[in-house]
Amino acid sequence: MPLPYSLSSTSLPSAKTLCYSSSLCFFHRNPRVFSSYTDSIRTRACYGFAGDSDSNHSEEVSSGRRTNYTGVRLDETVDAKSGKLRLDSWISSHISGISRVRVQTSIRSGFVSVNGRIVDKVSYMVRRGDKIDCTITELQPLRAEPEDIPLDIVYEDEHVLVVNKPAHMVVHPAPGNAAGTLVNGILHHCRLPTIAFPNQEILSEEADVSDDEFSSFSTVQSYNESVCSAISEASVRPGIVHRLDKGTSGLLVVAKDEHSHAHLAEQFKQRSIKRVYLSLTCGVPSPVLGRVDVPIGRDFNNRIRMIAVPGSSKCGKARHAASRYRVIEILAGGGSALVEWRLETGRTHQIRAHAKYLGIPLLGDEVYGGTKSVALSLLQPRTTPSLHGQLVEMVSRLERPCLHALTLGFRHPHTGENIRFFQLPPADFAEILTQLRDISTEKVTKLENV
């Protein structure tokens, strides 16, 4: 019997492309997952924290690019070509490689003056002739504690780290999740640059260039705003360029120096990062291939949830969001589907919110409608009564949204090479997929090796 689908890296990469992959084959009756990767580099390169005695003495790397911006000084006059720009944007454009959030931290800390007067508002609009004096402040010490947590490292060099995050692991420490996070484990493995994000930015998502799947702290968002605003110190996101939800498994890249962080963040902003996700859904989308271009904003009835808001993205807090999807397999007589997602933007809970909007919430996603009762209501009518007990047992084991970050590709921030990674879904995903296939399966499209 032919395999339902396969993903492998058997073709040779181009001279400027490196591929790191696992052959992906889910056997019809064997949910075991075999993973491997080639040419992985596993070094323990350690970078100092802001304030460490050695950290400020390594301003440049071998390529000549700056990796530490602490103490960098800018003293310039705004010219006519600058046009109408925010203060943080203008400074960012005049210090090569620095992240805008790093600049915002310096502005809010009182290290920027305009015409001799301190300006602590990042949105201040500069004018022609303004004399800008800026000193990049030292980053706040990281408060996360290193923990000896096993990590599935897919790739590592002295600049970046690619990790296969397990489901149920929070990416970054936040209220309610101070320990046991991916960052705690990475800090035990190596040191990372600390990138400070004031809490108000986390809440407003002003600095969001990714999604969660990639984006802001879902754990912080579960607290009400008055609690969050009472936390006066900046939250720190060491090396974290993007995120995956706690329940989402799969590939995530971490920057190991400031230049890499800024470079990767810019790639996310420019939407040049290649991201492919796999999900199991409640029901089958119609049509089986499409694009969802619907803004996403906070659900004011439930602050931990986002909602797709048809219409203008200028309405309220909703922001432009676009996702492409296609059905790989129709499962269990149409009670479920294996769906591939490709993100054009990176909003908080983007896939989950768009799946709900399409009427196909992710299997196991209790927050967005993929509840156990919904799953059973779709699956049981399509199966014989003899399988109902098996379905109840399978659904009862669902402990997370069935979503996996399968593919991650980006341009290396120092070498400029295009590198791609593939990672098999974990055993819990594979086991549910196998059980659904045992009921029935209809292949629709082929999962591409991208």
Side-chain angles (χ1 to χ4, degrees):
M1 168 175 191
L3 299 178
Y5 67 82
S6 64
L7 172 64
S8 63
S9 59
T10 55
S11 59
L12 293 175
S14 64
K16 286 295 183 180
T17 302
L18 298 178
C19 296
Y20 304 85
S21 67
S22 301
S23 294
L24 178 56
C25 293
F26 290 155
F27 293 91
H28 187 72
R29 294 188 178 275
N30 189 346
R32 294 188 340 181
V33 176
F34 298 90
S35 63
S36 64
Y37 55 89
T38 59
D39 301 327
S40 295
I41 304 170
R42 304 194 61 168
T43 59
R44 291 183 61 87
C46 296
Y47 286 79
F49 294 101
D52 285 355
S53 58
D54 296 332
S55 65
N56 292 333
H57 297 291
S58 180
E59 286 288 319
E60 310 294 336
V61 293
S62 58
S63 63
R65 295 186 177 103
R66 185 179 297 279
T67 61
N68 189 329
Y69 291 85
T70 300
V72 170
R73 181 82 181 273
L74 177 68
D75 187 358
E76 291 188 22
T77 300
V78 179
D79 58 26
K81 296 180 181 179
S82 295
K84 189 176 181 181
L85 280 178
R86 286 169 40 131
L87 180 60
D88 57 345
S89 298
W90 187 89
I91 294 174
S92 298
S93 68
H94 285 72
I95 302 178
S96 177
I98 197 169
S99 69
R100 185 185 295 189
V101 174
R102 183 72 190 274
V103 172
Q104 291 173 342
T105 300
S106 300
I107 295 172
R108 290 192 172 97
S109 299
F111 284 80
V112 176
S113 66
V114 179
N115 301 323
R117 180 176 63 87
I118 292 177
V119 174
D120 59 6
K121 186 177 180 181
V122 300
S123 59
Y124 174 88
M125 304 304 293
V126 301
R127 299 180 178 87
R128 178 182 179 181
D130 279 349
K131 187 177 184 302
I132 312 295
D133 190 337
C134 168
T135 302
I136 301 302
T137 183
E138 187 174 56
L139 288 169
Q140 296 185 16
L142 180 65
R143 296 192 301 276
E145 294 295 329
E147 295 180 46
D148 189 3
I149 300 172
L151 299 175
D152 184 1
I153 298 175
V154 176
Y155 172 86
E156 183 176 13
D157 62 24
E158 60 184 318
H159 305 295
V160 297
L161 182 72
V162 177
V163 180
N164 179 29
K165 186 189 87 68
H168 310 298
M169 175 181 276
V170 175
V171 170
H172 194 283
N177 290 284
T181 72
L182 182 65
V183 164
N184 293 112
I186 291 174
L187 289 174
H188 184 269
H189 175 73
C190 64
R191 289 187 174 184
L192 299 171
T194 55
I195 309 300
F197 286 75
N199 287 310
Q200 62 195 56
E201 290 179 359
I202 295 170
L203 289 170
S204 66
E205 301 173 12
E206 290 176 358
D208 176 22
V209 295
S210 53
D211 58 292
D212 185 57
E213 279 103 317
F214 274 58
S215 142
S216 53
F217 294 72
S218 57
T219 47
V220 169
Q221 292 160 355
S222 67
Y223 281 66
N224 61 45
E225 295 189 20
S226 62
V227 172
C228 289
S229 63
I231 305 174
S232 59
E233 297 182 13
S235 296
V236 181
R237 311 200 292 190
I240 298 301
V241 186
H242 65 115
R243 282 178 182 69
L244 298 176
D245 284 345
K246 178 181 178 180
T248 304
S249 57
L251 294 169
L252 181 143
V253 62
V254 178
K256 296 175 70 174
D257 59 61
E258 278 196 63
H259 169 79
S260 297
H261 188 282
H263 196 283
L264 288 169
E266 183 63 22
Q267 290 184 57
F268 277 108
K269 183 178 179 180
Q270 298 299 324
R271 304 173 187 173
S272 61
I273 299 286
K274 305 301 181 184
R275 297 166 280 168
V276 179
Y277 292 76
L278 280 182
S279 72
L280 292 171
T281 61
C282 295
V284 182
S286 180
V288 295
L289 181 150
R291 179 175 182 268
V292 188
D293 188 355
V294 181
I296 290 175
R298 182 75 56 203
D299 185 344
F300 291 106
N301 295 319
N302 185 340
R303 295 294 297 172
I304 68 171
R305 185 171 63 194
M306 308 300 289
I307 186 171
V309 185
S312 174
S313 61
K314 295 179 181 179
C315 178
K317 294 286 186 178
R319 303 171 67 190
H320 169 63
S323 310
R324 295 183 183 272
Y325 73 90
R326 52 184 195 138
V327 176
I328 305 300
E329 288 181 71
I330 297 174
L331 303 164
S336 182
L338 179 66
V339 180
E340 174 194 286
W341 299 84
R342 296 168 187 260
L343 300 180
E344 295 182 17
T345 57
R347 304 304 179 210
T348 302
H349 300 178
Q350 179 170 320
I351 291 176
R352 298 166 67 187
H354 275 170
K356 178 179 174 61
Y357 174 78
L358 290 173
I360 51 155
L362 304 188
L363 200 63
D365 194 345
E366 297 283 336
V367 175
Y368 285 87
T371 62
K372 294 176 174 61
S373 60
V374 168
L376 287 174
S377 70
L378 290 169
L379 293 169
Q380 287 182 333
R382 293 170 169 81
T383 58
T384 60
S386 62
L387 292 176
H388 288 183
Q390 178 184 332
L391 285 174
V392 171
E393 182 182 355
M394 179 194 75
V395 170
S396 68
R397 293 200 303 270
L398 290 172
E399 296 180 347
R400 64 155 179 132
C402 290
L403 182 63
H404 176 74
L406 177 74
T407 301
L408 177 65
F410 56 88
R411 190 171 68 258
H412 194 285
H414 285 263
T415 68
E417 292 176 298
N418 291 316
I419 52 179
R420 296 182 297 173
F421 303 90
F422 307 91
Q423 187 64 46
L424 291 164
D428 66 335
F429 190 112
E431 288 169 0
I432 293 172
L433 176 57
T434 297
Q435 287 184 286
L436 292 172
R437 282 174 171 162
D438 283 345
I439 299 170
S440 73
T441 177
E442 177 187 346
K443 187 174 179 181
V444 178
T445 57
K446 182 180 179 181
L447 187 67
E448 296 179 0
N449 184 355
V450 292

